[in-house]
Amino acid sequence: MDNRRSWLILHLLPDIGRARFHRLLKHFGSPEAALEASAAELDAAGIGSMAASSVRNWRELVDVDAEMQRIEDAGARIVCFQDEDYPANLRRMAVPPPLLYVRGTL
């Protein structure tokens, strides 16, 4: 799975806000690993049953291709928390946005 797609999928899931996103990132190391995790692994991450269910059922909940097309049609791009060009001032927040939609330059 493409790295940007996995960040976007996790970002779009119901019951996954900033805090849970970062908890999953810390626990699994990457959004891809979180999306591939078993029910037991997600329970161990401590995100709650509703959020774990969202992660397990992401294919039914998120139309990532449609969202990628909307981003492209808007002339935007995604900047993920891990990216070099993610703004340093946002990175210092207690719970920073996991990804940003950017049109133009930062």
Side-chain angles (χ1 to χ4, degrees):
M1 176 183 306
D2 176 85
N3 186 39
R4 295 241 180 266
R5 290 174 64 85
S6 63
W7 279 79
L8 185 58
I9 291 165
L10 204 55
H11 171 73
L12 293 173
L13 284 175
D15 304 307
I16 304 294
R18 291 179 186 185
R20 285 188 177 124
F21 192 109
H22 283 285
R23 183 174 290 155
L24 287 166
L25 194 58
K26 183 177 180 181
H27 186 84
F28 291 105
S30 71
E32 296 96 337
L35 292 170
E36 295 170 2
S38 69
E41 292 169 328
L42 289 166
D43 288 341
I47 60 169
S49 61
M50 293 293 289
S53 177
S54 289
V55 174
R56 283 193 311 272
N57 297 304
W58 69 265
R59 287 172 185 84
E60 290 83 36
L61 298 171
V62 173
D63 186 349
V64 69
D65 293 326
E67 184 67 11
M68 293 292 282
Q69 188 62 53
R70 279 191 287 275
I71 293 166
E72 184 179 323
D73 291 347
R77 64 187 172 98
I78 298 170
V79 175
C80 302
F81 181 76
Q82 70 175 4
D83 293 343
E84 264 184 43
D85 58 343
Y86 188 92
N89 58 339
L90 291 179
R91 194 180 299 276
R92 288 189 293 270
M93 291 176 62
V95 185
L99 62 83
L100 306 170
Y101 294 84
V102 176
R103 189 167 41 195
T105 58
L106 287 171

